[in-house]
Amino acid sequence: MSTDFVLPQLGEGLLEAELVQWLVAEGDAVELNQNIAEVETAKAVIELPSPFAGTVSTLHHAAGDTVEVGEVLISFDVAGAPAPATEPVAATAEPEEEKATPNLVGYGAAPRKGARPARRARAARSGDARAAADTAVLEAAPHDAIVEPPPERVRERPRSTPPVRKLAKDLGVDLALVPASGENGLITRDDVQMYADRVGAVPAAAAAAAPARRTDDDARVRRIPIRGVRKFTAAAMVKSAFTAPHVTTFHTVDVTETMRLVASLKADRSLADHRIGVMAVAAKAVCLALGRNPSLNARWDAEADEIVEYHYVNLGIAAATDRGLIVPVIDDADAMALPELADRISELALTARSGKTPPAAMTGGTFSITNFGVFGVEAGTPILNPGEAGILGLGSVARRPWEHDGQIALRDVMTLSLSFDHRLVDGAEGSRFLVDVASILAEPGRAMLMR
């Protein structure tokens, strides 16, 4: 029997995905949980496993198509699958209980029709693997590190099928303006054609034949579609910038002792499996300083009219990737020793480079770090991740003349840039946090005095 597989919800707030490529073809036999396609959400590229064992009968979309959650993606011929109902259901009949669909590994059970999707628990992230790659991908992140999704969509995408969307595009019709006559608000071909006839829409072909009014549609201009991670990041940046009152403060610190510590740890054979760098030391310093300054590890809950302070640190580390900026999160970073924290940063680097960071790994952060110093930039004004009270930017480490022990000497110097939500954090609190981080980087041994 033929069985359809619809695109599941791949993360909270993710209502669509772009089909990157098929990993199977029509006629292929597939096994349960065999990867069948790669799709790109607003957060990451994800491989979809098959929820059925059978034969691929129909691929309903081509690479590059945008597919909505709940839209049929692929059909299978599955032995023993129930045949689709052919008898109409009377309007007065009681609705039957929906049959369970096979579980899609990694994403939980499919949501029931009409039910509000339940929030999934974050997937556990292993800390056993040891990454040998350089962590530059995590350190090479622009200062405006934002990936948290807007909690609501301003405008829902009209429900329609790919052929109908193509017809609307050819006729120059905006689907958002077309009244829907189909079941559950589905826009049909007739709806589009009737709207086009009524308003006198100009077909795309006719518009193309008209004299060009623009001069930038030639080879001198490159047009890049705004989609995926970049579209998601842009929306989150705008939301954050115009919701939370940002304040940024700076502090330049002598990090010579931190650089010496890093060099000595790298030379220690017992720590050869751990890549402990400046980012890891800074992350540990942030965790310690947040314990002393809880207002920086909090969020503003406008609906409840409350400030929520966290007694744990889920630390976001900004990562620049080929597909855009993401901020994977290290859960309970404050409970980790320095080598373990360094290992997690290395693991995030490998996953981010491959584009396989799961959506669940980029939610739940309470504070973030971004490093624009690898670009040679001394300081910046980081933009907050929505829902977080602070973000720390790490500037470049430069060898400069500096006052030390009453004399001028060449020292390793770094500028720290802290942006915070002024609703949650006063200037004095922000300054104390920044000084705490700086004191650890200036004299790492001071960490022994903090709790």
Side-chain angles (χ1 to χ4, degrees):
M1 298 294 181
S2 179
T3 302
D4 294 334
F5 170 47
V6 301
L7 180 69
Q9 188 164 8
L10 303 175
E12 184 178 3
L14 302 179
L15 302 181
E16 63 184 23
E18 179 183 343
L19 178 60
V20 177
Q21 65 172 332
W22 286 110
L23 303 178
V24 295
E26 293 181 357
D28 285 357
V30 298
E31 299 177 354
L32 180 66
N33 293 329
Q34 175 183 336
N35 289 331
I36 57 175
E38 285 186 353
V39 297
E40 182 179 7
T41 69
K43 292 186 175 182
V45 175
I46 299 171
E47 289 184 342
L48 289 181
S50 172
F52 304 105
T55 303
V56 178
S57 58
T58 308
L59 304 178
H60 292 273
H61 296 275
D65 285 355
T66 298
V67 185
E68 296 180 2
V69 170
E71 192 172 347
V72 177
L73 185 67
I74 185 174
S75 296
F76 299 88
D77 286 329
V78 180
T86 56
E87 293 295 325
V89 179
T92 57
E94 291 293 326
E96 295 183 359
E97 181 177 349
E98 294 186 16
K99 297 179 181 179
T101 58
N103 185 35
L104 183 62
V105 172
Y107 302 104
R112 294 180 179 272
K113 180 182 292 186
R116 183 174 182 179
R119 180 169 181 171
R120 294 187 305 276
R122 187 187 352 253
R125 294 187 285 282
S126 172
D128 296 335
R130 296 295 179 260
D134 185 13
T135 59
V137 66
L138 290 174
E139 300 181 348
H143 60 273
D144 48 356
I146 303 295
V147 297
E148 193 69 22
E152 56 194 17
R153 292 168 64 94
V154 176
R155 170 178 167 183
E156 292 292 338
R157 181 179 177 184
R159 298 188 69 249
S160 60
T161 61
V164 171
R165 291 198 288 270
K166 184 178 185 303
L167 175 63
K169 181 178 179 180
D170 292 342
L171 294 178
V173 170
D174 182 354
L175 281 176
L177 303 178
V178 178
S181 64
E183 184 179 358
N184 295 325
L186 184 70
I187 299 175
T188 66
R189 293 180 62 90
D190 289 342
D191 294 334
V192 173
Q193 191 63 59
M194 290 176 61
Y195 180 84
D197 294 341
R198 185 169 72 251
V199 303
V202 180
R213 297 182 61 186
R214 298 170 56 135
T215 60
D216 59 354
D217 290 332
D218 53 28
R220 296 180 298 170
V221 173
R222 179 189 179 198
R223 294 187 175 275
I224 303 172
I226 302 174
R227 59 178 59 163
V229 174
R230 193 166 301 279
K231 181 177 181 180
F232 191 82
T233 300
M237 286 172 56
V238 171
K239 179 180 184 296
S240 176
F242 290 97
T243 300
H246 284 58
V247 174
T248 304
T249 186
F250 307 91
H251 186 45
T252 302
V253 57
D254 180 351
V255 294
T256 304
E257 295 305 318
T258 286
M259 301 306 293
R260 289 175 178 168
L261 172 65
V262 169
S264 67
L265 295 178
K266 288 182 178 179
D268 188 336
R269 292 184 178 180
S270 67
L271 297 173
D273 293 336
H274 308 281
R275 299 182 62 85
I276 302 176
V278 176
M279 173 67 83
V281 177
K284 186 63 179 178
V286 163
C287 291
L288 291 170
L290 287 175
R292 295 162 57 93
N293 303 274
S295 63
L296 271 295
N297 194 41
R299 91 180 145 83
W300 183 274
D301 189 340
E303 293 185 1
D305 201 19
E306 294 176 338
I307 293 174
V308 181
E309 288 188 353
Y310 302 102
H311 296 160
Y312 58 90
V313 178
N314 286 351
L315 189 63
I317 307 291
T321 71
D322 292 341
R323 294 182 177 273
L325 186 66
I326 65 173
V327 183
V329 175
I330 300 175
D331 289 340
D332 297 316
D334 56 315
M336 296 181 181
L338 183 59
E340 184 182 2
L341 196 54
D343 291 342
R344 290 293 295 122
I345 292 174
S346 295
E347 291 167 11
L348 294 182
L350 290 177
T351 306
R353 278 201 186 102
S354 66
K356 304 301 183 183
T357 304
M362 293 181 281
T363 59
T366 63
F367 189 93
S368 293
I369 299 178
T370 182
N371 189 345
F372 32 78
V374 292
F375 300 114
V377 176
E378 297 179 359
T381 55
I383 297 180
L384 295 169
N385 280 324
E388 296 181 13
I391 179 171
L392 181 69
L394 306 180
S396 58
V397 177
R399 195 79 167 161
R400 295 180 184 172
W402 198 258
E403 191 276 330
H404 178 68
D405 290 340
Q407 297 180 345
I408 299 298
L410 284 177
R411 305 288 288 180
D412 292 317
V413 177
M414 170 193 283
T415 297
L416 304 176
S417 306
L418 173 69
S419 290
F420 55 87
D421 185 340
H422 217 334
R423 297 174 300 177
L424 290 158
V425 184
D426 294 334
E429 295 171 319
S431 297
R432 282 194 293 267
F433 169 81
L434 198 55
V435 168
D436 281 345
V437 174
S439 67
I440 297 174
L441 295 178
E443 297 181 66
R446 284 188 174 272
M448 302 294 293
L449 303 176
M450 294 186 177
R451 61 190 178 115

